[in-house]
Amino acid sequence: MKMNFSVLSVLTLVLICPFYSEMTSDGRPRPKKGLCPSNSTVCALGAEFCSRDQDCPKDQKCCPNGCEHQCIDPYKGKPGVCPKPGGYGVCVESCSCDDDCPHHEKCCSNGCGHECTAPYTGKPGVCPKPVGYGVCVESCSVDYDCPNHEKCCSNGCGHECTALYTGKPGVCPKPGGYGVCVESCSVDYDCPNNEKCCSNGCGHQCTALYTGKPGVCPKPVGVGVCVESCSVDYDCPNHEKCCSNGCGHECTALYTGKPGVCPRPVGYGVCVESCSVDYDCPHHEKCCSNGCGHECTAPNTDIF
């Protein structure tokens, strides 16, 4: 049976293509992808010697070891990612691979040439925990693919640019001594409900939200010093609270209400909260119950 010429040509190409894929245009063996690591200063005893990459298994390359050649895994560079060039730098190749750079620096593009640069560590902040599964598309790979302060975060399946996770609202309580030196959480979303990931004096654990010391701050009288000498109650000693002075905040003695005693309600008044504390009321009046709501009332002056 005669074989069609075109079929014969295809079969011939199929048989010789793998051979040609490993050869250069001038017939020499094509080197494998990757770079050899920096030369060793001592010969490796018992090494698998080679003369070309094709002598080595899988992805290994035939690299110098200081006196001969041996099969070695290709150099993959230092860990980390090069930062995105911010414009155009000097058009000079001051390095060719990461090994040319000191310490943890990498050989990165500056927009024109290459220079040793500290690796890109990502934007500050933490990605929010994925809720369910998002679109299975990799729309970003590192933070600098994202605009402004957004980070490249998992959506449960792929990655997308996401607004920065800022933690649950509220403030952690001040540690009372030293707790267990274990990191049982790292960010607030590791904790259930409204709990936050707080320091216990040594490690971190999920803790109920700090709600401030009991009591009410007094109403500012005028305008005080415009300085923030405290931010939350536990910045203040004993029972003092962090209160507004009309401009800034300062540690202030607890508001105990105006002197005097509220009269006992007679029946039921209007069920409206027209005040909540005494300083909501004018002069010497106090915020008293009327049997249903609260209203400003003259204090009881009777002494028994």
Side-chain angles (χ1 to χ4, degrees):
M1 181 177 68
K2 293 183 179 180
M3 183 176 289
N4 185 287
F5 176 75
S6 60
V7 174
L8 180 61
S9 299
V10 170
L11 288 173
T12 303
L13 287 173
V14 169
L15 290 172
I16 67 174
C17 271
F19 172 76
Y20 277 110
S21 65
E22 297 181 359
M23 307 295 288
T24 60
S25 58
D26 58 359
R28 291 181 298 173
R30 186 184 301 277
K32 293 180 182 177
K33 293 181 179 179
L35 298 173
C36 283
S38 297
N39 292 351
S40 171
T41 56
V42 180
C43 291
L45 298 177
E48 181 182 3
F49 295 110
C50 57
S51 59
R52 57 183 184 176
D53 287 355
Q54 282 68 27
D55 295 335
C56 300
K58 298 182 179 178
D59 295 326
Q60 287 191 340
K61 293 176 66 68
C62 187
C63 301
N65 62 14
C67 58
E68 294 291 346
H69 286 76
Q70 68 180 106
C71 293
I72 300 175
D73 289 328
Y75 175 71
K76 297 180 180 178
K78 294 178 184 176
V81 179
C82 283
K84 196 172 186 177
Y88 297 95
V90 181
C91 296
V92 173
E93 299 296 325
S94 57
C95 61
S96 58
C97 64
D98 289 354
D99 269 356
D100 295 336
C101 300
H103 310 304
H104 299 294
E105 290 185 357
K106 294 175 67 68
C107 185
C108 303
S109 169
N110 60 13
C112 183
H114 284 79
E115 57 187 30
C116 293
T117 309
Y120 177 74
T121 55
K123 295 178 183 175
V126 179
C127 284
K129 195 172 186 177
V131 179
Y133 296 94
V135 181
C136 296
V137 173
E138 299 295 326
S139 57
C140 61
S141 57
V142 290
D143 287 354
Y144 67 60
D145 292 336
C146 300
N148 305 324
H149 298 293
E150 291 186 358
K151 292 177 66 71
C152 184
C153 303
S154 169
N155 60 14
C157 183
H159 283 79
E160 58 187 29
C161 294
T162 308
L164 188 66
Y165 175 73
T166 55
K168 295 177 184 175
V171 180
C172 283
K174 195 171 187 177
Y178 296 95
V180 181
C181 295
V182 174
E183 299 296 325
S184 57
C185 62
S186 57
V187 289
D188 287 354
Y189 67 62
D190 292 335
C191 300
N193 306 323
N194 295 320
E195 292 185 356
K196 293 176 67 72
C197 185
C198 303
S199 169
N200 60 13
C202 183
H204 283 80
Q205 61 187 39
C206 293
T207 309
L209 189 66
Y210 177 73
T211 55
K213 296 177 183 176
V216 180
C217 284
K219 193 171 186 177
V221 180
V223 181
V225 181
C226 296
V227 174
E228 299 296 324
S229 57
C230 62
S231 57
V232 289
D233 287 354
Y234 68 61
D235 293 335
C236 300
N238 306 323
H239 298 293
E240 290 185 358
K241 292 176 66 70
C242 185
C243 302
S244 169
N245 60 13
C247 183
H249 283 80
E250 58 187 28
C251 293
T252 309
L254 188 65
Y255 177 74
T256 55
K258 295 177 183 176
V261 179
C262 284
R264 178 177 286 186
V266 179
Y268 296 95
V270 181
C271 295
V272 174
E273 299 296 325
S274 57
C275 62
S276 57
V277 290
D278 288 355
Y279 67 62
D280 292 336
C281 300
H283 311 304
H284 298 294
E285 290 184 358
K286 294 175 65 70
C287 185
C288 303
S289 170
N290 60 14
C292 183
H294 283 79
E295 57 187 28
C296 293
T297 309
N300 190 341
T301 57
D302 293 337
I303 301 175
F304 296 97

